[in-house]
Amino acid sequence: MKTLIVLLGPTAVGKTELSLQIAEHFGSPVINADSRQIYRDIPVCTAAPTPEEQARVKHYFVGTKGLDESFSAAQYELDALQVMEEEFRHRDVLVMSGGSMLYIDAVVKGIDDMPNVDPEARASVRRLYEAEGLDSVLAHLRLLDPDYYSRVDRRNTQRVLHGLEMCLTAGKPFSSFHTGVRKERPFRIVQVGLRRERPELYERIDRRVRWMLEHGLADEARRVLPFRHLNSLNTVGMKEMFLYLDGTYTLDQAGERICHNTHIYSKKQMTWFQRDSSVTWFHPDRMDSVVEFLDKEVDAL
């Protein structure tokens, strides 16, 4: 049976190198599941695979979208499944790797079918947000969909706006579309999770942020500053650097905030991933154990 290996874990845990080794072992490309690495022009901020790493193994969904192009987990589900269908014609094992929770769930579990947002609803919500702020949008969302209101990250502007847009588009709560029914896939899925003890992970995050600052993160942010309003740039790393360019932070302060906010994000990732009991967890340094486990899983079919 065709098998999709899903390598997941928090940011900076060590997925990139391990994904390359696993892909090389099975003769597979890497199907990227990082919602920001899909965009061009911000490779430092997103720690995207380098040209050398992409030369080692073919990658999908790395630097394929412009910053002004919209892309969602639902679209990722469709595009990734299309890639897998084509690749499975030539090989029995594929490797998907990333840390974007919604993108991974889109492939592993599937996204519920729902209507496209009505442009008038989107414009209406945008006017409300610009005139009265996020608190007003949240108040409307609480009235129309208290369930989604109770679960959404209220600091995530895009998700809050989208929730209200969907309520207005459908004429019913956005949460009513979330059935939780897992979609059937024509291939087997084996999920491998990578985790480190929190102090070790945080030290790696901080080291990565220092590397980013030394390798042109400020210049990268300066180049895309005119597009700061785009959703593609609403991400840890860019938000703090924009405040540095505004003069709100010093460069050191911006770096400290990136580290702090990335620590918070990594905790959210682990909380999300650990809900799934089908994930088998390893320390990233246990490459031999990971490959041994995967060989047995593939050979058992």
Side-chain angles (χ1 to χ4, degrees):
M1 186 176 184
K2 304 295 186 180
T3 301
L4 174 67
I5 295 169
V6 179
L7 187 67
L8 56 84
T11 185
V13 74
K15 295 184 296 295
T16 299
E17 179 56 32
L18 197 56
S19 70
L20 290 169
Q21 294 183 46
I22 293 172
E24 288 171 333
H25 179 76
F26 287 104
S28 166
V30 171
I31 300 168
N32 178 52
D34 185 296
S35 64
R36 287 300 181 262
Q37 289 181 357
I38 197 168
Y39 291 105
R40 293 187 291 273
D41 303 317
I42 50 173
V44 176
C45 179
T46 61
T50 65
E52 293 76 18
E53 289 167 337
Q54 294 187 59
R56 280 176 60 184
V57 173
K58 181 179 180 178
H59 282 67
Y60 286 97
F61 306 112
V62 174
T64 56
K65 295 289 181 182
L67 295 174
D68 59 344
E69 294 183 76
S70 61
F71 198 72
S72 65
Q75 188 61 51
Y76 179 78
E77 177 187 13
L78 295 174
D79 291 356
L81 289 176
Q82 184 175 3
V83 165
M84 291 172 196
E85 180 181 9
E86 175 60 29
E87 286 291 342
F88 272 136
R89 294 174 183 169
H90 310 291
R91 51 187 54 84
D92 294 328
V93 178
L94 293 177
V95 176
M96 184 173 83
S97 177
S100 293
M101 298 86 81
L102 291 177
Y103 278 34
I104 291 171
D105 274 4
V107 170
V108 173
K109 301 176 182 178
I111 289 181
D112 297 310
D113 295 328
M114 56 188 68
N116 294 324
V117 174
D118 177 67
E120 291 187 8
R122 174 161 288 165
S124 176
V125 171
R126 178 57 61 175
R127 286 195 297 270
L128 176 65
Y129 171 63
E130 292 175 350
E132 302 180 24
L134 190 62
D135 286 344
S136 183
V137 178
L138 282 165
H140 283 75
L141 183 62
R142 185 177 185 179
L143 287 174
L144 296 178
D145 193 346
D147 181 48
Y148 184 72
Y149 171 84
S150 70
R151 291 185 286 110
V152 70
D153 179 355
R154 294 167 203 170
R155 294 171 298 180
N156 190 318
T157 302
Q158 294 301 320
R159 290 188 186 172
V160 172
L161 297 181
H162 183 64
L164 185 55
E165 290 168 357
M166 289 301 297
C167 290
L168 297 177
T169 295
K172 61 181 182 179
F174 180 35
S175 59
S176 66
F177 291 100
H178 301 160
T179 64
V181 177
R182 198 176 186 120
K183 291 183 180 178
E184 293 293 326
R185 300 301 190 201
F187 47 82
R188 186 182 180 217
I189 297 173
V190 178
Q191 295 189 89
V192 169
L194 302 182
R195 62 184 169 194
R196 299 177 186 268
E197 292 299 321
R198 190 168 292 174
E200 181 186 13
L201 179 63
Y202 285 3
E203 193 280 329
R204 286 177 60 89
I205 289 172
D206 296 349
R207 190 164 68 240
R208 172 182 282 184
V209 171
R210 290 194 297 271
W211 182 93
M212 290 161 58
L213 291 170
E214 292 168 359
H215 287 78
L217 180 60
D219 289 337
E220 188 171 271
R222 191 173 288 109
R223 286 194 297 271
V224 300
L225 184 62
F227 312 104
R228 66 188 299 175
H229 62 284
L230 296 174
N231 185 51
S232 57
L233 297 175
N234 182 30
T235 187
V236 175
M238 276 299 153
K239 292 189 288 187
E240 297 83 357
M241 292 308 299
F242 290 153
L243 291 173
Y244 156 67
L245 294 174
D246 287 342
T248 303
Y249 291 153
T250 66
L251 187 59
D252 286 343
Q253 288 172 331
E256 290 171 2
R257 295 308 301 172
I258 295 171
C259 290
H260 175 75
N261 291 333
T262 307
H263 295 171
I264 293 173
Y265 179 59
S266 71
K267 286 194 289 186
K268 290 181 180 179
Q269 289 174 297
M270 286 304 299
T271 298
W272 183 290
F273 292 139
Q274 287 175 332
R275 294 173 183 159
D276 192 339
S277 60
S278 67
V279 177
T280 302
W281 292 93
F282 293 89
H283 191 283
D285 293 343
R286 296 178 58 198
M287 173 63 185
D288 292 344
S289 297
V290 174
V291 171
E292 181 182 0
F293 167 76
L294 291 172
D295 279 340
K296 288 180 179 178
E297 288 293 310
V298 171
D299 292 342
L301 299 178

